[in-house]
Amino acid sequence: MLDKYDPSTYNHQYAQVNGIRMHYIDENPTSNKPLLLIHGWPDLWLGWREQIPFLTELGYRVIVPSLRGFGETDAPEDPAEYGFGTVSKDLAALLDHLQIPTVTVIGHDWGGAVTWRFGQFYPDRVKALASFCTPYTTPAKQEVTLDQIVQVLPNFKYQLYLVTPEAEKDINNNVEKFFHRVFRTVNEMGSDSLIDSKTHSLAEGREDVTRSSKVPEKIMNYYVEWYKKRGARGGLNWYKQTHNNYVQCKDLDPIIKKPSMMVIAELDKALPPSMAQKMPEYIPGIEMNFVAGSGHWILWEKPEECNQYLKNFLLKVDPVNKL
């Protein structure tokens, strides 16, 4: 039986795709209504633990990969082997491996950005798209640096630290402390910031905090185990993609013509609601939803609201025909 708070009870699978070995969860594989759930940083597939059983009970097949660079999936050390085009190709190859022609893609954090880009790279593979927290942004028409992006979006300043060798050491030397700090609700975070103004670190030299009540022990242990085994480099390589993403995405059509939903978290400091304002100009008919009182970890901070939005959206775009 699937116990959503015990990672060992999920259906773990592996496939060779686009030159890497990819790990993924595949629940309710006999359903002909597939969903592809895409996580972000420093997350793993397990960030969707509150959605996976809910969606399978509705009758969907729920496929949740560990992205390139994360968890049990291969993590090339060279940042050149990443980027939205490369990752989208990984996912298309996974769908090929599973013989799935079209899918609804749902993402959070970096996974939300991947969701929008996958819809642009492979529109013929997509039924519908949905993102939690991460707004759609048009592909850059000229190359910019991460420093230039941060000048326009100061809420991304933390990324300037994440691309340094110090950030990798910071996480690798303090894995448990790091996850105890980062996986907290907005209320638990209080006035704490991701990077401390005194220590200029994520975890190194900062005080320990207790594990969030929203992150059960077996869940926390899984994150700590896999980050200790694999290290932080693969995930941090995602922050070194400004050039790759420009090259890989610059010729994409900026208009997305798929049924789409955006779910905004009111109190997400990294991805504030203001960033999503112009989305309807580029995604005609997009459904815009808002979750009050939620921080960045919306999927498990406010699971009832997230699941209700998903259920309503999926009923419209790809309903399950139950006998």
Side-chain angles (χ1 to χ4, degrees):
M1 272 298 286
L2 175 63
D3 171 358
K4 65 182 175 181
Y5 299 140
D6 182 349
S8 68
T9 64
Y10 290 79
N11 179 27
H12 295 261
Q13 298 293 327
Y14 304 85
Q16 287 295 135
V17 298
N18 194 26
I20 61 168
R21 180 181 188 256
M22 178 173 268
H23 164 258
Y24 62 100
I25 299 301
D26 190 0
E27 294 295 333
N28 199 22
T30 57
S31 167
N32 65 350
K33 296 286 183 178
L35 309 175
L36 189 61
L37 274 48
I38 313 294
H39 70 82
W41 179 90
D43 219 341
L44 300 168
W45 63 271
L46 200 49
W48 294 98
R49 60 189 174 274
E50 298 288 353
Q51 286 69 47
I52 295 167
F54 175 79
L55 294 168
T56 56
E57 282 164 24
L58 290 178
Y60 292 94
R61 178 179 186 176
V62 183
I63 301 153
V64 198
S66 297
L67 293 172
R68 174 183 291 253
F70 291 92
E72 293 187 65
T73 292
D74 285 350
E77 295 213 349
D78 185 353
E81 294 185 52
Y82 292 77
F84 290 136
T86 301
V87 172
S88 294
K89 193 174 179 184
D90 293 345
L91 298 175
L94 178 62
L95 295 179
D96 291 344
H97 169 77
L98 295 170
Q99 299 182 311
I100 293 173
T102 57
V103 70
T104 294
V105 189
I106 305 165
H108 172 254
D109 188 82
W110 274 124
V114 170
T115 295
W116 301 125
R117 291 292 181 258
F118 186 80
Q120 293 169 292
F121 278 110
Y122 297 98
D124 57 327
R125 307 300 296 267
V126 167
K127 287 183 184 175
L129 303 166
S131 175
F132 290 85
C133 299
T134 314
Y136 170 73
T137 53
T138 56
K141 289 297 176 206
Q142 66 234 21
E143 186 155 12
V144 291
T145 65
L146 183 57
D147 286 281
Q148 289 170 306
I149 292 171
V150 169
Q151 284 171 11
V152 178
L153 296 168
N155 45 299
F156 282 0
K157 189 179 177 187
Y158 68 94
Q159 298 187 12
L160 296 174
Y161 178 64
L162 297 185
V163 300
T164 67
E166 288 75 26
E168 185 181 346
K169 288 194 205 104
D170 187 353
I171 297 171
N172 288 346
N173 293 340
N174 303 278
V175 174
E176 191 162 8
K177 182 194 280 193
F178 167 69
F179 278 108
H180 278 205
R181 292 200 72 90
V182 79
F183 282 163
R184 289 186 286 168
T185 67
V186 70
N187 292 333
E188 290 167 331
M189 286 286 289
S191 60
D192 272 6
S193 55
L194 181 67
I195 296 167
D196 186 68
S197 58
K198 294 192 189 77
T199 62
H200 305 292
S201 65
L202 296 157
E204 186 71 46
R206 300 178 76 177
E207 64 182 44
D208 291 331
V209 298
T210 53
R211 172 174 54 83
S212 170
S213 60
K214 289 272 196 175
V215 184
E217 191 172 9
K218 283 183 180 177
I219 300 291
M220 180 59 75
N221 290 346
Y222 183 90
Y223 282 99
V224 172
E225 174 193 354
W226 280 103
Y227 272 77
K228 280 184 173 175
K229 279 182 182 173
R230 305 303 297 272
R233 180 171 301 180
L236 291 172
N237 274 342
W238 281 65
Y239 293 92
K240 302 170 184 175
Q241 299 309 308
T242 312
H243 171 73
N244 280 347
N245 286 336
Y246 164 69
V247 172
Q248 294 175 18
C249 303
K250 64 184 190 319
D251 297 324
L252 292 172
D253 183 348
I255 306 298
I256 291 179
K257 306 178 186 76
K258 296 287 176 183
S260 298
M261 175 176 72
M262 173 70 193
V263 181
I264 297 163
E266 179 191 15
L267 303 176
D268 190 330
K269 290 175 186 166
L271 299 164
S274 58
M275 287 184 67
Q277 282 175 346
K278 292 189 174 177
M279 286 178 63
E281 295 174 26
Y282 298 99
I283 310 176
I286 186 170
E287 181 183 312
M288 302 289 283
N289 293 310
F290 182 82
V291 177
S294 181
H296 182 66
W297 303 113
I298 189 171
L299 299 175
W300 47 263
E301 279 189 53
K302 301 286 185 182
E304 294 82 9
E305 291 92 326
C306 291
N307 290 349
Q308 193 60 51
Y309 282 136
L310 280 171
K311 181 179 180 180
N312 294 346
F313 179 65
L314 291 168
L315 274 171
K316 284 181 271 192
V317 299
D318 197 19
V320 172
N321 301 317
K322 285 193 171 177
L323 295 173

